[in-house]
mmCIF file of all heavy atoms in Angstrom:
data_model
loop_
_atom_site.group_PDB
_atom_site.id
_atom_site.type_symbol
_atom_site.label_atom_id
_atom_site.label_comp_id
_atom_site.label_asym_id
_atom_site.label_seq_id
_atom_site.Cartn_x
_atom_site.Cartn_y
_atom_site.Cartn_z
ATOM 1 N N GLY A 77 -16.422 1.151 18.939
ATOM 2 C CA GLY A 77 -15.668 2.141 18.176
ATOM 3 C C GLY A 77 -14.253 2.342 18.658
ATOM 4 O O GLY A 77 -13.337 2.624 17.872
ATOM 5 N N GLN A 78 -14.027 2.152 19.965
ATOM 6 C CA GLN A 78 -12.689 2.353 20.521
ATOM 7 C C GLN A 78 -11.724 1.246 20.113
ATOM 8 O O GLN A 78 -10.509 1.368 20.282
ATOM 9 C CB GLN A 78 -12.750 2.439 22.053
ATOM 10 C CG GLN A 78 -13.027 1.121 22.764
ATOM 11 C CD GLN A 78 -14.496 0.723 22.763
ATOM 12 O OE1 GLN A 78 -15.328 1.384 22.151
ATOM 13 N NE2 GLN A 78 -14.817 -0.347 23.474
ATOM 14 N N GLU A 79 -12.281 0.145 19.547
ATOM 15 C CA GLU A 79 -11.446 -1.001 19.163
ATOM 16 C C GLU A 79 -11.212 -1.089 17.661
ATOM 17 O O GLU A 79 -10.613 -2.044 17.188
ATOM 18 C CB GLU A 79 -12.104 -2.294 19.644
ATOM 19 C CG GLU A 79 -12.248 -2.417 21.150
ATOM 20 C CD GLU A 79 -10.906 -2.471 21.843
ATOM 21 O OE1 GLU A 79 -9.957 -3.013 21.260
ATOM 22 O OE2 GLU A 79 -10.811 -1.960 22.959
ATOM 23 N N VAL A 80 -11.688 -0.108 16.911
ATOM 24 C CA VAL A 80 -11.566 -0.173 15.448
ATOM 25 C C VAL A 80 -10.111 -0.315 15.013
ATOM 26 O O VAL A 80 -9.780 -1.144 14.152
ATOM 27 C CB VAL A 80 -12.200 1.072 14.791
ATOM 28 C CG1 VAL A 80 -11.823 1.149 13.315
ATOM 29 C CG2 VAL A 80 -13.712 1.035 14.934
ATOM 30 N N ALA A 81 -9.221 0.479 15.605
ATOM 31 C CA ALA A 81 -7.807 0.438 15.206
ATOM 32 C C ALA A 81 -7.215 -0.948 15.414
ATOM 33 O O ALA A 81 -6.434 -1.440 14.593
ATOM 34 C CB ALA A 81 -7.009 1.481 15.983
ATOM 35 N N ALA A 82 -7.590 -1.603 16.516
ATOM 36 C CA ALA A 82 -7.056 -2.934 16.798
ATOM 37 C C ALA A 82 -7.541 -3.949 15.769
ATOM 38 O O ALA A 82 -6.762 -4.775 15.271
ATOM 39 C CB ALA A 82 -7.471 -3.372 18.207
ATOM 40 N N TRP A 83 -8.826 -3.892 15.429
ATOM 41 C CA TRP A 83 -9.361 -4.815 14.422
ATOM 42 C C TRP A 83 -8.692 -4.599 13.067
ATOM 43 O O TRP A 83 -8.345 -5.565 12.374
ATOM 44 C CB TRP A 83 -10.874 -4.646 14.300
ATOM 45 C CG TRP A 83 -11.646 -5.277 15.416
ATOM 46 C CD1 TRP A 83 -11.958 -4.716 16.629
ATOM 47 C CD2 TRP A 83 -12.192 -6.600 15.443
ATOM 48 N NE1 TRP A 83 -12.672 -5.601 17.402
ATOM 49 C CE2 TRP A 83 -12.845 -6.767 16.697
ATOM 50 C CE3 TRP A 83 -12.227 -7.649 14.534
ATOM 51 C CZ2 TRP A 83 -13.488 -7.946 17.063
ATOM 52 C CZ3 TRP A 83 -12.886 -8.829 14.882
ATOM 53 C CH2 TRP A 83 -13.502 -8.976 16.127
ATOM 54 N N LEU A 84 -8.500 -3.344 12.692
ATOM 55 C CA LEU A 84 -7.846 -3.060 11.414
ATOM 56 C C LEU A 84 -6.395 -3.519 11.422
ATOM 57 O O LEU A 84 -5.882 -4.032 10.418
ATOM 58 C CB LEU A 84 -7.921 -1.561 11.109
ATOM 59 C CG LEU A 84 -9.316 -1.025 10.754
ATOM 60 C CD1 LEU A 84 -9.287 0.492 10.642
ATOM 61 C CD2 LEU A 84 -9.827 -1.628 9.446
ATOM 62 N N GLU A 85 -5.718 -3.357 12.541
ATOM 63 C CA GLU A 85 -4.320 -3.782 12.637
ATOM 64 C C GLU A 85 -4.190 -5.287 12.443
ATOM 65 O O GLU A 85 -3.324 -5.766 11.697
ATOM 66 C CB GLU A 85 -3.754 -3.396 14.005
ATOM 67 C CG GLU A 85 -2.304 -3.850 14.220
ATOM 68 C CD GLU A 85 -1.808 -3.562 15.622
ATOM 69 O OE1 GLU A 85 -2.465 -2.783 16.348
ATOM 70 O OE2 GLU A 85 -0.769 -4.126 16.004
ATOM 71 N N VAL A 86 -5.067 -6.055 13.102
ATOM 72 C CA VAL A 86 -5.007 -7.506 12.973
ATOM 73 C C VAL A 86 -5.378 -7.936 11.561
ATOM 74 O O VAL A 86 -4.754 -8.830 10.982
ATOM 75 C CB VAL A 86 -5.939 -8.173 14.002
ATOM 76 C CG1 VAL A 86 -5.980 -9.684 13.780
ATOM 77 C CG2 VAL A 86 -5.465 -7.867 15.417
ATOM 78 N N ARG A 87 -6.396 -7.289 10.992
ATOM 79 C CA ARG A 87 -6.783 -7.605 9.627
ATOM 80 C C ARG A 87 -5.620 -7.425 8.655
ATOM 81 O O ARG A 87 -5.360 -8.281 7.798
ATOM 82 C CB ARG A 87 -7.958 -6.716 9.207
ATOM 83 C CG ARG A 87 -8.442 -6.970 7.791
ATOM 84 C CD ARG A 87 -8.953 -5.704 7.142
ATOM 85 N NE ARG A 87 -9.127 -5.929 5.722
ATOM 86 C CZ ARG A 87 -8.127 -5.876 4.839
ATOM 87 N NH1 ARG A 87 -6.894 -5.584 5.241
ATOM 88 N NH2 ARG A 87 -8.348 -6.118 3.554
ATOM 89 N N ASP A 88 -4.916 -6.300 8.771
ATOM 90 C CA ASP A 88 -3.795 -6.022 7.877
ATOM 91 C C ASP A 88 -2.660 -7.014 8.085
ATOM 92 O O ASP A 88 -1.991 -7.423 7.132
ATOM 93 C CB ASP A 88 -3.291 -4.588 8.093
ATOM 94 C CG ASP A 88 -4.273 -3.552 7.572
ATOM 95 O OD1 ASP A 88 -5.177 -3.920 6.805
ATOM 96 O OD2 ASP A 88 -4.121 -2.368 7.941
ATOM 97 N N ARG A 89 -2.440 -7.423 9.326
ATOM 98 C CA ARG A 89 -1.388 -8.404 9.606
ATOM 99 C C ARG A 89 -1.703 -9.743 8.961
ATOM 100 O O ARG A 89 -0.843 -10.361 8.328
ATOM 101 C CB ARG A 89 -1.222 -8.554 11.112
ATOM 102 C CG ARG A 89 -0.068 -9.488 11.513
ATOM 103 C CD ARG A 89 -0.587 -10.849 11.944
ATOM 104 N NE ARG A 89 -1.453 -10.746 13.096
ATOM 105 C CZ ARG A 89 -2.207 -11.756 13.533
ATOM 106 N NH1 ARG A 89 -2.234 -12.899 12.872
ATOM 107 N NH2 ARG A 89 -2.990 -11.605 14.596
ATOM 108 N N ILE A 90 -2.958 -10.188 9.078
ATOM 109 C CA ILE A 90 -3.345 -11.461 8.478
ATOM 110 C C ILE A 90 -3.262 -11.387 6.956
ATOM 111 O O ILE A 90 -2.815 -12.322 6.283
ATOM 112 C CB ILE A 90 -4.762 -11.852 8.940
ATOM 113 C CG1 ILE A 90 -4.753 -12.168 10.440
ATOM 114 C CG2 ILE A 90 -5.284 -13.052 8.150
ATOM 115 C CD1 ILE A 90 -6.138 -12.404 11.024
ATOM 116 N N ALA A 91 -3.694 -10.250 6.376
ATOM 117 C CA ALA A 91 -3.621 -10.078 4.923
ATOM 118 C C ALA A 91 -2.185 -10.118 4.442
ATOM 119 O O ALA A 91 -1.875 -10.744 3.419
ATOM 120 C CB ALA A 91 -4.285 -8.760 4.530
ATOM 121 N N ALA A 92 -1.276 -9.462 5.174
ATOM 122 C CA ALA A 92 0.135 -9.449 4.790
ATOM 123 C C ALA A 92 0.737 -10.843 4.891
ATOM 124 O O ALA A 92 1.513 -11.264 4.025
ATOM 125 C CB ALA A 92 0.906 -8.473 5.674
ATOM 126 N N ASP A 93 0.375 -11.594 5.930
ATOM 127 C CA ASP A 93 0.874 -12.962 6.077
ATOM 128 C C ASP A 93 0.412 -13.837 4.921
ATOM 129 O O ASP A 93 1.172 -14.646 4.384
ATOM 130 C CB ASP A 93 0.390 -13.562 7.402
ATOM 131 C CG ASP A 93 1.074 -12.946 8.620
ATOM 132 O OD1 ASP A 93 2.078 -12.238 8.443
ATOM 133 O OD2 ASP A 93 0.584 -13.176 9.746
ATOM 134 N N ALA A 94 -0.863 -13.675 4.528
ATOM 135 C CA ALA A 94 -1.398 -14.469 3.422
ATOM 136 C C ALA A 94 -0.694 -14.132 2.111
ATOM 137 O O ALA A 94 -0.404 -15.011 1.303
ATOM 138 C CB ALA A 94 -2.901 -14.236 3.286
ATOM 139 N N ALA A 95 -0.421 -12.843 1.915
ATOM 140 C CA ALA A 95 0.270 -12.423 0.691
ATOM 141 C C ALA A 95 1.682 -12.983 0.650
ATOM 142 O O ALA A 95 2.159 -13.435 -0.394
ATOM 143 C CB ALA A 95 0.296 -10.907 0.604
ATOM 144 N N ALA A 96 2.362 -12.962 1.800
ATOM 145 C CA ALA A 96 3.727 -13.493 1.864
ATOM 146 C C ALA A 96 3.731 -14.990 1.596
ATOM 147 O O ALA A 96 4.600 -15.513 0.890
ATOM 148 C CB ALA A 96 4.342 -13.188 3.233
ATOM 149 N N ALA A 97 2.751 -15.708 2.151
ATOM 150 C CA ALA A 97 2.669 -17.144 1.934
ATOM 151 C C ALA A 97 2.385 -17.464 0.470
ATOM 152 O O ALA A 97 2.898 -18.433 -0.082
ATOM 153 C CB ALA A 97 1.575 -17.745 2.816
ATOM 154 N N ALA A 98 1.569 -16.611 -0.165
ATOM 155 C CA ALA A 98 1.256 -16.827 -1.582
ATOM 156 C C ALA A 98 2.468 -16.570 -2.464
ATOM 157 O O ALA A 98 2.673 -17.235 -3.475
ATOM 158 C CB ALA A 98 0.100 -15.926 -2.002
ATOM 159 N N ALA A 99 3.275 -15.589 -2.075
ATOM 160 C CA ALA A 99 4.452 -15.240 -2.871
ATOM 161 C C ALA A 99 5.559 -16.272 -2.731
ATOM 162 O O ALA A 99 6.370 -16.454 -3.632
ATOM 163 C CB ALA A 99 4.970 -13.860 -2.458
ATOM 164 N N HIS A 100 5.601 -16.958 -1.586
ATOM 165 C CA HIS A 100 6.656 -17.942 -1.331
ATOM 166 C C HIS A 100 6.045 -19.232 -0.802
ATOM 167 O O HIS A 100 6.231 -19.591 0.362
ATOM 168 C CB HIS A 100 7.659 -17.387 -0.328
ATOM 169 C CG HIS A 100 8.279 -16.094 -0.755
ATOM 170 N ND1 HIS A 100 9.224 -16.003 -1.751
ATOM 171 C CD2 HIS A 100 8.047 -14.817 -0.347
ATOM 172 C CE1 HIS A 100 9.573 -14.745 -1.929
ATOM 173 N NE2 HIS A 100 8.867 -14.000 -1.099
ATOM 174 N N PRO A 101 5.288 -19.935 -1.644
ATOM 175 C CA PRO A 101 4.625 -21.158 -1.185
ATOM 176 C C PRO A 101 5.631 -22.233 -0.813
ATOM 177 O O PRO A 101 6.674 -22.377 -1.456
ATOM 178 C CB PRO A 101 3.773 -21.570 -2.385
ATOM 179 C CG PRO A 101 4.479 -20.975 -3.565
ATOM 180 C CD PRO A 101 5.057 -19.669 -3.079
#
Side-chain angles (χ1 to χ4, degrees):
Q78 72 280 5
E79 297 296 327
V80 168
W83 283 86
L84 290 173
E85 178 185 346
V86 175
R87 180 213 168 279
D88 289 345
R89 184 257 299 169
I90 293 173
D93 289 347
H100 303 287

